[in-house]
Amino acid sequence: MRPSGLIISVVLLLALVVTPRLISSQEAPVPVVLWHGMGDSCCNPLSMGVIKSLIEENIPGVYVLSVRIGDSVVEDVENSFLMNLNKQIDMVCKQFSNDPNLEMGFNAVGFSQGGQFLRGLVQRCSGLKVQNLISIGGQHQGVFGLPKCPVGLHICEYVRELLTKGAYEEYVCACVIVQAEYWHDPLQEDVYRRKSVFLADINQERSVNTTYRENLIKLKNFVLVKFNNETVVVPNESEWFGYYREGQEKEVIDLKDSDIYIKDKLGLKVLDESKRLHFLSLDGDHIMFTRKWFVENIINPYLK
Ligand SMILES: *[C@@H]1O[C@H](CO)[C@@H](O)[C@H](O)[C@H]1NC(C)=O
Ligand SMILES: *[C@@H]1O[C@H](CO)[C@@H](O)[C@H](O)[C@H]1NC(C)=O
Ligand SMILES: *[C@@H]1O[C@H](CO)[C@@H](O)[C@H](O)[C@H]1NC(C)=O
């Protein structure tokens, strides 16, 4: 190779090595991932589609990924009722870990059950760099009742019927019904602790997995949004980690009076004391909010 050829090759090589670094060192917006709720899908133009556009309008150039479980939108909706959660979280962990767009870190917003699923992901999937985790109406202590189904979703009616028959029965829990995996019966706490295949595990009810705690503590912020006029989540306090006191279904205790906080099994106390645990509430029924509310309370403070 002649010297001039060599120089050109070196320059080209340098350009190849240096340019990507220059690009990535610019302040690129932090990517956002979304996890939808029960009966919804990744790409519903009336729900996740609106949220995705809203984030894109407010943060030019941002990469937004809406989780899809399955090979199609129809499968995605079905899987929101019927696919084992531990498996879903494993799948999403692999998908995110292999997505170069998420390599440098991202923010995560979960809607309804997507809130506790994303928390499970943060706790279990150690390689991910999640900055802010936002749960909009998630049920972090589970539910004891599924009072309402989205209109026209027969699969949901079927799930409700099975749940009332027994959420921890093997045939429901082994594990076909997603909602059974965060069913929390305060009248049978011991059964819940032993048999809940998802929620009792991520809430450290059986044993304490220090990885879960370490991963959650790494968050910059953990934001819990609760709806003041809930008719879907029972008890509504679960959206802020509150739940029925054991052995009855009337009196609810706040997170700060619960074992999970007092013993700090999950790191929530550490997050709270370092002002990284945020409790937001707004008037409205389950997951009802305006674009303005979302921009002012979620996008501007936590996604920009
Ligand atoms: C704790 O959680 C991590 C992450 O999911 C997992 O790899 C590990 O096996 C768990 N440890 C125990 C003792 O279950
Ligand atoms: C929603 O709940 C709040 C707080 O409890 C209450 O002040 C408000 O009147 C309720 N709004 C409706 C429409 O019921
Ligand atoms: C929230 O649940 C409690 C009982 O757990 C109930 O007394 C209260 O009315 C509920 N609030 C709303 C806004 O649904």
Side-chain angles (χ1 to χ4, degrees):
M1 200 185 276
R2 284 182 297 120
S4 61
L6 183 65
I7 289 167
I8 289 169
S9 309
V10 168
V11 167
L12 278 177
L13 190 64
L14 275 178
L16 283 175
V17 173
V18 171
T19 319
R21 294 230 176 108
L22 286 179
I23 288 169
S24 65
S25 73
Q26 282 172 1
E27 284 288 309
V30 179
V32 180
V33 306
L34 310 173
W35 198 326
H36 62 78
M38 174 180 92
D40 201 357
S41 75
C42 60
C43 313
N44 183 341
L46 298 177
S47 65
M48 291 304 104
V50 174
I51 300 290
K52 186 169 188 283
S53 313
L54 198 56
I55 295 172
E56 286 164 350
E57 278 162 31
N58 283 274
I59 313 174
V62 70
Y63 174 75
V64 183
L65 176 68
S66 184
V67 169
R68 187 182 77 194
I69 307 288
D71 291 332
S72 67
V73 166
V74 173
E75 269 186 40
D76 192 18
V77 173
E78 280 177 10
N79 286 336
S80 79
F81 291 102
L82 295 178
M83 187 177 181
N84 181 301
L85 266 174
N86 297 321
K87 214 159 126 193
Q88 295 195 29
I89 287 180
D90 257 13
M91 276 175 53
V92 175
C93 176
K94 290 205 181 83
Q95 187 196 340
F96 286 8
S97 303
N98 292 324
D99 186 336
N101 293 300
L102 303 179
E103 221 170 66
M104 309 290 285
F106 58 94
N107 294 316
V109 190
F111 296 84
S112 196
Q113 64 184 14
Q116 62 265 33
F117 300 172
L118 276 173
R119 176 167 64 85
L121 180 78
V122 168
Q123 292 176 203
R124 287 183 182 167
C125 191
S126 294
L128 302 179
K129 298 195 185 84
V130 186
Q131 301 187 0
N132 295 325
L133 172 62
I134 295 142
S135 158
I136 309 222
Q139 301 100 48
H140 294 276
Q141 280 292 2
V143 293
F144 189 44
L146 190 63
K148 263 192 180 173
C149 282
V151 180
L153 264 179
H154 300 300
I155 188 172
C156 181
E157 300 295 343
Y158 164 76
V159 165
R160 273 188 55 153
E161 205 182 301
L162 279 183
L163 282 175
T164 49
K165 284 186 185 150
Y168 306 122
E169 298 295 329
E170 298 302 334
Y171 70 95
V172 181
C173 217
C175 219
V176 250
I177 308 288
V178 166
Q179 287 69 30
E181 300 173 52
Y182 58 84
W183 189 264
H184 185 166
D185 185 343
L187 307 175
Q188 307 183 64
E189 281 286 343
D190 54 324
V191 184
Y192 160 70
R193 280 190 199 112
R194 270 186 290 121
K195 291 206 167 177
S196 158
V197 298
F198 173 71
L199 194 69
D201 177 75
I202 66 161
N203 283 359
Q204 313 270 47
E205 295 282 3
R206 281 190 282 271
S207 57
V208 172
N209 185 325
T210 50
T211 305
Y212 287 2
R213 191 174 184 277
E214 282 158 16
N215 286 346
L216 203 67
I217 289 176
K218 284 189 203 140
L219 289 173
K220 279 192 182 163
N221 293 287
F222 182 16
V223 182
L224 295 164
V225 179
K226 174 176 178 291
F227 292 85
N228 289 332
N229 315 89
E230 264 294 347
T231 64
V232 177
V233 172
V234 181
N236 54 65
E237 291 86 348
S238 184
E239 299 180 356
W240 277 2
F241 263 102
Y243 213 67
Y244 297 119
R245 190 186 290 285
E246 184 168 350
Q248 49 86 55
E249 48 173 318
K250 284 207 168 65
E251 188 201 349
V252 172
I253 51 175
D254 287 345
L255 169 64
K256 288 178 191 176
D257 299 319
S258 316
D259 241 29
I260 197 174
Y261 185 91
I262 296 166
K263 296 186 182 157
D264 207 18
K265 294 196 251 182
L266 205 50
L268 293 168
K269 192 172 176 190
V270 170
L271 285 168
D272 189 30
E273 286 174 352
S274 52
K275 308 235 175 321
R276 291 179 290 146
L277 184 63
H278 308 274
F279 298 91
L280 307 188
S281 67
L282 72 156
D283 285 358
D285 201 347
H286 194 54
I287 319 290
M288 300 288 272
F289 54 84
T290 61
R291 290 164 161 264
K292 183 167 179 287
W293 179 86
F294 193 77
V295 172
E296 287 173 0
N297 294 280
I298 305 297
I299 296 183
N300 290 343
Y302 298 111
L303 304 183
K304 271 196 173 154

